[in-house]
Amino acid sequence: TPSQAEAIIERMESNKETALRPDVVTYTSLIKCWMESGALRAASRAEEIIEKLHKRHENGYFECKPDTMAYNVALNAIAKCKGDDSAQRAEALLERMQDRFIAGDLDVAPTAPSFVTVMSAWARSNHPKGGTRAEALLHKMHELHKSDVENVAPNTFAYSTCILAWSKSGQRKAGKRAQNLLKEMERCRDEGLNDVKPNAITYTNAM
C-alpha cells in the first residue's frame, strides 16, 4: 500500500549511505503506487512528492533531482483523480514543468505524453472550457516542436484527445472545431508530421 511504501522510504531517508537513500526513481515509484491505489489523496501526494524531490535536491541530495518521468507519472496521478479541479491541477504542474525547462533544466523536458495526459484530464472533466484548454496545449506542442524540442511533436493521440475534449465540452462550436482539427491533421501530414493520421478513434470522437 502507499502508506507502507511511505514508511519504508521514510526509513531510507535517514540512511547516511548514499546507495541506500531514496532517489528520484524511488519517489517516482511511490507516486505510481499512490496513482494505482485510487486513493482520494493520490493527486495531493503526487504534488507533494514532486515538491519534496525539488527540496531534497536543493538540500544537496543530488540523486533526488526531478526528471521528466517523475513529472509524467505525477501528471497521470493527478489527471486520473476524480476531483473537480483535476484538469486545472494537472495543467498547473505541466506549466511548472515547462517553466523549469525553459529556465534551462533539460532533465524535465516535457514530452508528448505530458501534454496528452493533461488534455485527457480536460476531456474527462466535461468542462465548458475543456476544448479550448486542450487545443491551447496542442498548439503549445506545435510551438515546442518547431523550436526543435525533442519528443513533443503532436501525434494522432494528441489530436484525438483534443477533439474528444471539444466533444465533451458541450459548446455549440464543438462540431466545427472538431472538423477544423481534422483538416489541420491533413495539413500536418503534408508538412511531414507522419505521426498525425486520423484513425477510427479520431473520427468517432469528432462525431
Side-chain angles (χ1 to χ4, degrees), residues 125-138:
S125 74
N126 298 326
H127 195 285
K129 292 184 179 179
T132 303
R133 294 308 315 143
E135 193 164 342
L137 292 169
L138 184 64

Side-chain angles (χ1 to χ4, degrees), residues 63-158:
E63 67 274 9
C64 289
K65 189 175 191 305
D67 59 13
T68 297
M69 180 63 73
Y71 267 89
N72 279 354
V73 174
L75 286 169
N76 259 303
I78 297 166
K80 288 181 178 177
C81 276
K82 295 178 181 178
D84 293 337
D85 61 348
S86 293
Q88 290 92 332
R89 289 167 72 178
E91 186 164 349
L93 187 63
L94 176 60
E95 285 175 0
R96 181 180 184 181
M97 188 183 189
Q98 291 180 82
D99 288 344
R100 295 192 72 90
F101 172 67
I102 291 167
D105 188 351
L106 303 183
D107 289 332
V108 294
T111 59
S114 313
F115 285 91
V116 174
T117 295
V118 180
M119 291 161 68
S120 296
W122 279 113
R124 279 194 293 269
S125 74
N126 298 326
H127 195 285
K129 292 184 179 179
T132 303
R133 294 308 315 143
E135 193 164 342
L137 292 169
L138 184 64
H139 291 159
K140 187 64 180 179
M141 292 175 76
H142 275 290
E143 182 185 318
L144 291 171
H145 175 63
K146 288 175 182 175
S147 299
D148 295 324
V149 176
E150 296 181 358
N151 304 315
V152 78
N155 53 29
T156 300
F157 192 31

